[in-house]
Amino acid sequence: MRIVAFLLGLFVSGSLLAQAFPSKPVRLVVPFPPGGPTDVVGRMMASGLQAAWGQPVIVENKPGAGTVIGTDAVAKSAPDGHTIGMVITAHFINPALRSSMPYDTLKDLAHVTQLVQQHVVLVANAGVPFATLAELIAHAKKNPGKLRYASPGTGTSAHLAGELLKGEAGIDLVHVPYKGSGPAQTDLLGGRVELMVDVFHSAKPHVEAGKLKVIALTAKDRPVNIRGYPLVAETLPGFDVRSLFGFVVAAGTPKPVVSRIQADTAKVLNQPEVKSKLEAMGLEVVASSPEQFDQLVRTEMVKWAKVVKDNNIKVD
């Protein structure tokens, strides 16, 4: 009877804790400057959650060190759910890429939910002599070290996606890093590089204008709103690269509070007007559970750690 009473007490106290949350303004840390896609999504979520919670949700931009500075602020915050951090694909890559991390990704953070995903595509300049992934691989094997792929910089998810493709396909491509996606895409369009792994939404206008070729989408499953293009995984089984956005809080945050944040976030994401705005940005709503997101983080960390190690990639 004492055990039953104890467990019932825990359940009741946990339920009351979730109901009482939030008890003060909430800080939403975005690890980028204002104006970019991550910031736009963060502000959209802040507005929706503020309306749901009746408490201010204040966006705080903390850019730098490939999202590490912002995420570190969350890891070191009070474990009560009143500081939430946005993370992107760099969150899974940083532990392997950076020799000195100020926090432990799995021990110091609790993973709340994957918010959305953005589909990624392997594109080529329209003038290349291949149109499919199989043709690209055959061409690369006949011309090792001749094909170049652009990325927004060393250690970015696009760079690592290119290295993953090289390893899986057994081909030799030359990585050409740029300072941002804009200059990389400009040189791709100009034919100074042949290939690029890019966000589909960004490449789409140039594909429709006939300036770029879609070689293949990089997600393992066919996207809901993108039709008519092959998948890398159809040629290289298991290949899976997506741009992911999620929420984290400090480790030790009570599970009922984590569950409350996830549930209310899912409601905001699935509001028709919010969903419509996200889709217009090329984003697909996921709203996963804390358990699903935590498992995804662990899987992605293992995948990217192997790519980093196999290619000896470091940024510091």
Side-chain angles (χ1 to χ4, degrees):
M1 287 297 290
R2 288 181 180 177
I3 294 175
V4 172
F6 174 73
L7 293 174
L8 181 61
L10 284 180
F11 174 79
V12 172
S13 62
S15 178
L16 291 173
L17 191 63
Q19 289 175 26
F21 174 85
S23 59
K24 60 183 179 180
V26 174
R27 181 170 61 141
L28 178 55
V29 178
V30 175
F32 288 98
T38 312
D39 181 65
V40 171
V41 173
R43 291 178 189 277
M44 205 180 299
M45 297 309 303
S47 177
L49 290 172
Q50 180 167 296
W53 290 339
Q55 287 280 3
V57 179
I58 302 160
V59 173
E60 184 175 331
N61 296 94
K62 280 188 166 293
T67 76
V68 169
I69 289 174
T71 306
D72 186 44
V74 179
K76 291 180 170 56
S77 67
D80 58 9
H82 288 88
T83 298
I84 302 170
M86 281 197 70
V87 294
I88 62 165
T89 306
H91 180 64
F92 320 131
I93 297 172
N94 281 328
L97 191 65
R98 298 176 182 275
S99 57
S100 56
M101 289 279 286
Y103 58 87
D104 186 300
T105 301
L106 298 178
K107 292 180 180 178
D108 296 335
L109 294 160
H111 295 94
V112 179
T113 184
Q114 182 189 342
L115 302 166
V116 294
Q117 62 185 7
Q118 195 167 33
H119 286 286
V120 177
V121 64
L122 174 63
V123 286
N125 178 274
V128 299
F130 47 81
T132 68
L133 182 58
E135 291 172 356
L136 184 162
I137 292 171
H139 181 86
K141 287 184 175 180
K142 289 179 181 177
N143 301 276
K146 297 294 178 66
L147 287 178
R148 297 156 295 183
Y149 79 93
S151 85
T154 299
T156 59
S157 57
H159 170 206
L160 268 65
E163 296 302 309
L164 179 63
L165 177 69
K166 284 170 55 177
E168 294 290 316
I171 56 177
D172 180 14
L173 304 176
V174 177
H175 173 229
V176 183
Y178 289 81
K179 292 183 178 179
S181 295
Q185 194 178 76
T186 296
D187 271 11
L188 175 66
L189 291 165
R192 286 174 283 278
V193 290
E194 291 79 23
L195 300 165
M196 184 175 176
V197 177
D198 200 4
V199 172
F200 180 80
H201 189 67
S202 173
K204 183 180 176 182
H206 304 296
V207 172
E208 292 176 341
K211 296 178 180 180
L212 296 179
K213 293 179 184 179
V214 170
I215 302 300
L217 295 163
T218 62
K220 65 178 180 180
D221 300 313
R222 193 163 298 284
V224 175
N225 297 321
I226 304 174
R227 304 292 182 184
Y229 300 112
L231 304 178
V232 171
E234 291 168 346
T235 301
L236 303 173
F239 194 94
D240 184 28
V241 174
R242 292 161 287 153
S243 178
L244 309 174
F245 295 55
F247 271 172
V248 297
V249 292
T253 300
K255 286 187 178 180
V257 172
V258 173
S259 296
R260 171 77 188 275
I261 296 171
Q262 189 279 331
D264 290 343
T265 297
K267 289 176 184 176
V268 172
L269 286 168
N270 284 292
Q271 291 173 359
E273 64 273 22
V274 172
K275 203 168 186 178
S276 177
K277 288 178 182 177
L278 291 169
E279 287 175 353
M281 294 171 62
L283 297 166
E284 183 181 311
V285 170
V286 177
S288 61
S289 70
E291 294 77 16
Q292 289 170 329
F293 189 38
D294 186 71
Q295 184 56 53
L296 176 65
V297 170
R298 292 170 186 273
T299 301
E300 289 287 299
M301 283 176 63
V302 170
K303 176 174 73 180
W304 294 122
K306 184 177 187 305
V307 174
V308 168
K309 182 179 179 181
D310 288 350
N311 295 279
N312 195 30
I313 302 168
K314 290 292 178 185
V315 295
D316 61 358

